Amino acid sequence: MKAMVLTRMVDMEKEPAPLSPAEVPVPEPGLGEILLKVSRCGVCHTELDEIEGRTPPPRLPVIPGHQVVGRVVKKGKDARRYQEGDRLGVGWIYDACGQCSFCREGRENLCAAFRATGRDVDGGYGQYMTVPENHAHPIPGVFSDSEAAPLLCAGAIGYRSLALSGLRDGQNLGLTGFGASAHLVLRLARETHPRSSVFVFARSEKERDFAREIGAAWAGDTADTAPEKLHAVIDTTPAWKPVVEALRNLERGGRLVINAIRKDDRDREELLRVDYPEHLWMEKEIKSVANVTGEDIAAFLALAAEIPIRPTVEEFDLERANEALGELKNRKIRGAKVLKIP
Ligand SMILES: [Zn+2]
Ligand SMILES: [Zn+2]
């Protein structure tokens, strides 16, 4: 089968084409697993973190990709949940131990044995992939394959971030960074928190225009001051400056949720600007969001179908994966990027 593989970690500034086209064997589904013929795979900022070594894959080569839509073509032993032809999605969670206290409490995202699709095992930048059937999710009929792909990570983790923010209807929400996940959070929040206003911080005027177009009350640059204090802010940027600026814009008792698997430490010295009375006092909180649970994905897919929330997508052929990653790296973003798999 055809795949785009990561063979070694690189700095994308120096090597802008980190993935190589390869011909690899079609995997065999094991016990309780299914084989999917992949049709679409979303492109996520986490792929950049894998490629550049901030969250390194434990073995190379690896096929990246964790927003996978495909159809069942083969079932392994004891896989009974789905039938051949069923359309399913796979997100960042590939599996977890199922036994530890975190797994038993429904917090499998925090399991020490958490394995991520497209990092710890091969993902969706290829024609076929295997997955444990209990981590594959039926895709609601209202979505095309391309629309469904970004819902599986950008959407599901956005949903988890909004839940962790503790935002109540009528309170102000800030979003710093406006990529695939944030644009879905904006659409989600407009439905789940109809009396809340959303304030967007983004570096590029294009992203700010897009935010206003889809319902932001205000959009400014990363270091701007929002016209009102914010009860919660969700940060989806790779940098530290937006964290400091978000804390400054928080209302008393407000919470900043950092939705990033790793921060790029280039602007780490920004943290030295943190001034306790201005940025932290008055019971301001900082919380990170880690991974997703299967329940987050299932719940978000159902909610997204009911509303419905349709992502804005831009499609690339599989062999143009490096170009899509490069645009993400350079923050040429309008919605979500999705690979078409032949
Ligand atoms: Zn992702
Ligand atoms: Zn566990």
Side-chain angles (χ1 to χ4, degrees), residues 44-47 66-67 92 153-154:
C44 179
H45 198 274
T46 301
E47 269 96 72
H66 58 266
Q67 307 187 84
W92 178 242
C153 178

Side-chain angles (χ1 to χ4, degrees), residues 46-124:
T46 301
E47 269 96 72
L48 303 178
D49 294 319
E50 294 174 24
I51 291 165
E52 299 190 313
R54 288 180 293 276
T55 181
R59 63 169 180 86
L60 292 169
V62 69
I63 302 173
H66 58 266
Q67 307 187 84
V68 191
V69 178
R71 287 188 187 271
V72 181
V73 288
K74 194 172 179 183
K75 300 193 286 178
K77 194 168 180 293
D78 289 345
R80 298 194 184 90
R81 187 177 290 199
Y82 300 112
Q83 300 308 317
E84 279 174 33
D86 285 354
R87 186 171 72 139
L88 304 177
V90 185
W92 178 242
I93 181 164
Y94 186 85
D95 63 8
C97 83
Q99 315 284 324
C100 71
S101 61
F102 292 99
C103 282
R104 289 201 313 265
E105 291 171 349
R107 296 198 291 166
E108 57 188 354
N109 59 312
L110 304 181
C111 176
F114 181 95
R115 286 201 297 169
T117 311
R119 182 191 63 187
D120 305 319
V121 293
D122 286 334

Side-chain angles (χ1 to χ4, degrees), residues 33-232:
E33 292 181 345
I34 47 178
L35 177 69
L36 298 179
K37 167 73 184 73
V38 179
S39 79
R40 294 289 186 280
C41 187
V43 178
C44 179
H45 198 274
T46 301
E47 269 96 72
L48 303 178
D49 294 319
E50 294 174 24
I51 291 165
E52 299 190 313
R54 288 180 293 276
T55 181
R59 63 169 180 86
L60 292 169
V62 69
I63 302 173
H66 58 266
Q67 307 187 84
V68 191
V69 178
R71 287 188 187 271
V72 181
V73 288
K74 194 172 179 183
K75 300 193 286 178
K77 194 168 180 293
D78 289 345
R80 298 194 184 90
R81 187 177 290 199
Y82 300 112
Q83 300 308 317
E84 279 174 33
D86 285 354
R87 186 171 72 139
L88 304 177
V90 185
W92 178 242
I93 181 164
Y94 186 85
D95 63 8
C97 83
Q99 315 284 324
C100 71
S101 61
F102 292 99
C103 282
R104 289 201 313 265
E105 291 171 349
R107 296 198 291 166
E108 57 188 354
N109 59 312
L110 304 181
C111 176
F114 181 95
R115 286 201 297 169
T117 311
R119 182 191 63 187
D120 305 319
V121 293
D122 286 334
Y125 284 26
Q127 291 180 296
Y128 295 88
M129 74 169 277
T130 55
V131 64
E133 62 172 0
N134 57 352
H135 280 113
H137 303 272
I139 302 290
V142 296
F143 300 119
S144 68
D145 290 5
S146 282
E147 287 171 333
L151 301 177
L152 293 159
C153 178
I157 198 146
Y159 168 81
R160 185 173 185 86
S161 306
L162 185 59
L164 291 182
S165 79
L167 187 79
R168 295 196 303 272
D169 192 20
Q171 293 186 323
N172 291 334
L173 174 65
L175 300 172
T176 185
F178 201 67
S181 186
H183 99 280
L184 290 171
V185 172
L186 174 50
R187 286 188 168 138
L188 177 63
R190 303 250 302 149
E191 300 292 334
T192 57
H193 297 70
R195 295 186 302 121
S196 289
S197 300
V198 184
F199 300 79
V200 171
F201 302 84
R203 281 196 321 193
S204 90
E205 190 51 46
K206 258 170 102 176
E207 287 171 318
R208 296 194 287 266
D209 284 343
F210 181 42
R212 288 183 204 106
E213 220 172 273
I214 66 171
W218 173 91
D221 203 352
T222 311
D224 286 352
T225 300
E228 295 173 32
K229 286 288 184 188
L230 310 173
H231 300 88

